[in-house]
């Protein structure tokens, strides 16, 4: 799956627990009729992928949906979901991708087509 939008926030890398588990969050705002602020978590060595990105950039992030079950000490079962990123790439504006046609030269760059001789003006049809 993929999420596409503009980076709103890039969090700092956090180390959790005694085993050195690393995580880093990024928030992307989608560009649709009702924009959504999607928090995506990168973990372990994928945290470093976010170093090259900053708020305001348009990106596309490849994600996996993760779910887990947790049983409290009282025996109550709860379920948690997370969105985990594994790849991120910058999106270029449309103008930078070559979709804009080249500029038209000014009118004075063209020679006028009014230099016909008199006999060409009378009979310029091939029949």
């Amino acid at each position: 799956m993929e999420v596409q939008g503009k980076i709103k926030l890039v969090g700092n890398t956090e180390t959790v627990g005694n085993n050195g588990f690393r995580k880093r969050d990024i928030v992307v705002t989608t560009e649709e009729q009702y924009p959504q602020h999607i928090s995506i978590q990168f973990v372990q060595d994928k945290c470093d992928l976010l170093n090259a990105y900053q708020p305001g950039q348009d990106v596309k992030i490849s994600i996996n949906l993760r779910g887990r079950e947790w049983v409290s000490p009282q025996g109550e079962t709860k379920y948690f979901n997370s969105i985990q990123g594994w790849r991120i790439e910058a999106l270029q504006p449309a103008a930078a991708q070559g979709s804009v046609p080249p500029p038209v030269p000014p009118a004075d760059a063209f020679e006028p087509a009014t230099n016909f001789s008199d006999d060409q003006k009378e009979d310029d049809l091939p029949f």
Side-chain angles (χ1 to χ4, degrees):
M1 298 178 75
E2 294 177 343
V3 173
Q4 194 169 317
K6 188 176 296 289
I7 296 175
K8 182 172 183 164
L9 172 105
V10 179
N12 295 321
T13 302
E14 301 174 30
T15 303
V16 182
N18 296 331
N19 60 0
F21 180 80
R22 295 174 21 178
K23 66 178 186 171
R24 189 173 186 186
D25 292 327
I26 184 171
V27 177
V28 175
T29 302
T30 62
E31 296 175 358
E32 51 197 354
Q33 183 178 359
Y34 301 104
Q36 302 295 307
H37 305 286
I38 309 293
S39 178
I40 301 169
Q41 189 173 81
F42 284 73
V43 297
Q44 298 297 74
D45 60 333
K46 301 296 182 188
C47 293
D48 297 333
L49 295 176
L50 301 180
N51 291 342
Y53 296 93
Q54 54 191 329
Q57 281 185 285
D58 290 318
V59 293
K60 179 170 66 171
I61 302 176
S62 299
I63 62 167
N64 290 325
L65 296 177
R66 298 284 185 218
R68 64 184 180 94
E69 179 180 86
W70 177 73
V71 180
S72 72
Q74 294 79 24
E76 184 181 357
T77 303
K78 294 189 177 193
Y79 297 91
F80 297 92
N81 297 319
S82 63
I83 302 172
Q84 192 172 78
W86 54 274
R87 179 174 45 196
I88 181 171
E89 56 187 279
L91 296 177
Q92 301 300 321
Q97 294 177 349
S99 63
V100 175
V104 177
D108 60 354
F110 296 100
E111 239 180 83
T114 58
N115 303 10
F116 296 115
S117 64
D118 288 335
D119 58 330
Q120 286 177 327
K121 286 183 185 178
E122 292 176 17
D123 190 19
D124 60 348
L125 296 176
F127 48 88

